[in-house]
Amino acid sequence: METSTAAQIIEHATAFGCDFAEVFLEDRFLDDVRARDEQIVKVSSGRDIGAGIRVVHDGRTGFAHTADVTYEGLLRTFAAAAGAAGLRGAGMLLGVRRQASHAHLITGVPSYDAVDLKDTLRAAREAARGVSDTVDRVGLTVLSSVRRVAVLNSTGTHSSYETRSDRYVVEVTAAGYGRRETAMEAPGWTSGSAQLDLPVMCDAATTAARRSVRLLTAREAPVGDLPVVFAAGAGGVLFHEACGHGLEADLVARGASGYAGLLDSPVASPMVTLVDDGRLDSAWGSQLFDDEGEPTSRHTLIREGALVGFLDARHRPGARGDSGGSARRENYRHLPMPRMNNTFMLPGKDSPESLIRDTEYGIYCTQLGGGSVNTVTGEFSFAVTEGYLIERGEVTHPLTTFQLVGNGPATLRSIDAVANDFALWPGICGKDRQSVPVTAGQPTLRVRQMTIAGGARG
């Protein structure tokens, strides 16, 4: 990406004496294909190009964004950001004329081939229908995004990176026993090409089909306080939402986290070590640099139950000078903030089977849906969209959707067994009206006691 024009803007900012200035250039290309059974019902492609400029002066931050990445467009945007930061005189630059220059756009971005796509859709549908003759409908969404970014700032940062992300969202509906049930599987990853991954898509279709078929004979969950075993990867979203957000430094700084003031204190079971890794190979939330141009890395947040760190952005007001690598923004229209990338709990030593075998009566959770969390108190409620009863150390009956209600820190402290397996869950994380791709994960683990709500009352 050509950045000479952005460099000129940084030179202007330095000449005007601002404390900090940053130009964030972004060029994004998106493919979105949707199908029902073997019929493609939507194909769309789009491109979004622009720049966000941040100026800090005397502790005041100004921010403005534009889709005009010419010299004149960036100059006008800088003047607006500088004015919002209280920097006087920047508007005089608007009379300065230079030769127009554009940031280079992404070239040669491959789209999916329609013939290959139809063949892949057919294979996915056949994989789902091969599970059971109760499979009635197969829906598929294929999302592919190429994001090219360059970040320049007045401290000398000049970073650029390109990330390609792909995701398949497979929804399968089964009909039988007077019921219709729909289940979803949505793998996502970063990659280097637009090739359709047939095995991944077929595996997702098979998994979603099995889930929907099982739901046809599901019974209501018992209500009350019970042990809960989370299958590998299945509890990732709960720990991401109920615990991870509270470890983001901006929420800690403004008193919106229950972990404020607890650094170096025990906050979880000694079995828990929680990390965030922005460079985890091929993971949905990975990228080489964060959205301030800082290299991403591996951060240990909780080590053997003790809180040892927070996720931060280097240029967040009040941030420590050595922090950074976790600044993210949805796109050039937003300021960056501390965010999770790939957040996961490290494996333990027990076998997954032993956790179930040692549970006399409880719940086995294999997929979580949506939920809500209060980051200050840690209180949460999440839907279990695939769960099973554990009776006498064996997984027995599938259960209809029910709610898990609890407290994030209390849940971390109540983990009493951790297995030696591991799996990841890709998803979209929302915070302060910004959404970014993330991955969460954990090994199979057991929480000593959680509240089950929304099921059957005994």
Side-chain angles (χ1 to χ4, degrees):
M1 180 177 286
E2 172 59 48
T3 56
S4 60
T5 303
Q8 293 176 29
I9 301 301
I10 296 297
E11 290 175 6
H12 293 321
T14 302
F16 271 84
C18 69
D19 299 324
F20 174 77
E22 172 191 76
V23 178
F24 178 88
L25 292 168
E26 181 180 38
D27 190 357
R28 186 194 296 261
F29 185 96
L30 177 68
D31 268 340
D32 183 345
V33 180
R34 308 197 179 202
R36 185 174 294 114
D37 291 324
E38 295 178 28
Q39 184 67 38
I40 297 176
V41 296
K42 175 185 176 183
V43 178
S44 65
S45 295
R47 175 170 274 167
D48 191 16
I49 308 161
I53 297 180
R54 174 169 46 160
V55 175
V56 180
H57 181 66
D58 286 342
R60 183 174 170 182
T61 298
F63 178 76
H65 61 83
T66 181
D68 181 356
V69 293
T70 64
Y71 172 76
E72 287 80 4
L74 295 182
L75 196 59
R76 284 192 297 270
T77 307
F78 165 68
L87 191 65
R88 297 182 178 180
M92 295 188 305
L93 289 170
L94 297 180
V96 179
R97 296 294 175 188
R98 302 284 178 89
Q99 182 178 357
S101 173
H102 293 266
H104 288 179
L105 309 182
I106 298 172
T107 58
V109 176
S111 295
Y112 293 114
D113 181 86
V115 175
D116 290 343
L117 182 58
K118 293 209 73 170
D119 289 343
T120 304
L121 294 174
R122 186 177 298 110
R125 183 172 180 265
E126 290 174 356
R129 289 190 176 277
V131 170
S132 169
D133 57 9
T134 62
V135 170
D136 179 56
R137 177 174 292 178
V138 181
L140 176 66
T141 299
V142 180
L143 299 171
S144 179
S145 172
V146 177
R147 183 177 186 242
R148 194 176 186 188
V149 165
V151 186
L152 293 83
N153 67 39
S154 55
T155 67
T157 294
H158 186 163
S159 301
S160 61
Y161 64 88
E162 182 175 305
T163 303
R164 180 179 187 99
S165 302
D166 295 277
R167 195 176 195 193
Y168 303 152
V169 182
V170 185
E171 290 185 293
V172 178
T173 300
Y177 309 100
R179 298 165 65 171
R180 292 178 64 83
E181 298 287 349
T182 299
M184 182 183 74
E185 183 71 5
W189 63 97
T190 57
S191 62
S193 69
Q195 276 191 314
L196 287 161
D197 195 322
L198 182 58
V200 170
M201 189 178 292
C202 289
D203 284 348
T206 300
T207 299
R210 288 174 178 162
R211 191 170 287 143
S212 64
V213 171
R214 288 170 186 152
L215 286 171
L216 292 176
T217 57
R219 60 175 63 177
E220 288 189 322
V223 167
D225 294 335
L226 293 171
V228 177
V229 176
F230 290 93
V237 62
L238 187 154
F239 298 109
H240 169 98
E241 294 290 351
C243 309
H245 279 300
L247 301 176
E248 293 167 340
D250 57 338
L251 297 185
V252 174
R254 65 180 189 239
S257 166
Y259 293 100
L262 295 180
L263 198 62
D264 298 322
S265 301
V267 296
S269 161
M271 298 178 180
V272 175
T273 294
L274 187 71
V275 303
D276 185 272
D277 190 344
R279 294 197 174 198
L280 192 64
D281 187 36
S282 300
W284 175 244
S286 291
Q287 54 193 36
L288 292 177
F289 296 89
D290 75 357
D291 291 336
E292 289 183 328
E294 297 290 325
T296 54
S297 61
R298 185 182 180 99
H299 299 274
T300 300
L301 305 172
I302 298 174
R303 180 183 292 115
E304 297 179 352
L307 177 62
V308 296
F310 297 109
L311 297 173
D312 209 350
R314 181 176 294 277
H315 300 292
R316 177 185 64 84
R320 295 181 349 211
D322 60 347
S323 62
S326 298
R328 304 190 66 187
R329 59 181 108 200
E330 181 174 331
N331 54 46
Y332 67 86
R333 299 176 182 87
H334 300 277
L335 281 166
M337 66 178 84
R339 301 292 296 270
M340 289 172 277
N341 294 285
N342 307 299
T343 311
F344 51 92
M345 181 177 157
L346 298 188
K349 298 179 180 179
D350 297 324
S351 70
E353 297 78 15
S354 69
L355 272 64
I356 296 172
R357 188 172 58 246
D358 295 342
T359 303
E360 177 66 19
Y361 186 75
I363 299 293
Y364 181 51
C365 171
T366 53
Q367 188 185 57
L368 286 173
S372 61
V373 61
N374 183 321
T375 59
V376 178
T377 65
E379 302 299 320
F380 64 77
S381 175
F382 282 91
V384 176
T385 53
E386 185 183 21
Y388 300 84
L389 199 61
I390 299 175
E391 298 176 289
R392 295 179 294 279
E394 294 185 358
V395 176
T396 58
H397 304 288
L399 303 172
T400 57
T401 298
F402 59 92
Q403 298 290 318
L404 280 179
V405 179
N407 175 274
T411 299
L412 286 180
R413 290 192 294 270
S414 297
I415 294 173
D416 65 0
V418 179
N420 55 14
D421 57 351
F422 181 76
L424 293 170
W425 165 88
I428 300 295
C429 171
K431 175 183 174 182
D432 292 351
R433 296 181 296 279
Q434 290 193 51
S435 297
V436 296
V438 296
T439 305
Q442 52 26 260
T444 299
L445 59 85
R446 184 177 60 211
V447 179
R448 186 183 310 112
Q449 182 173 285
M450 298 186 75
T451 299
I452 314 301
R457 297 188 177 275

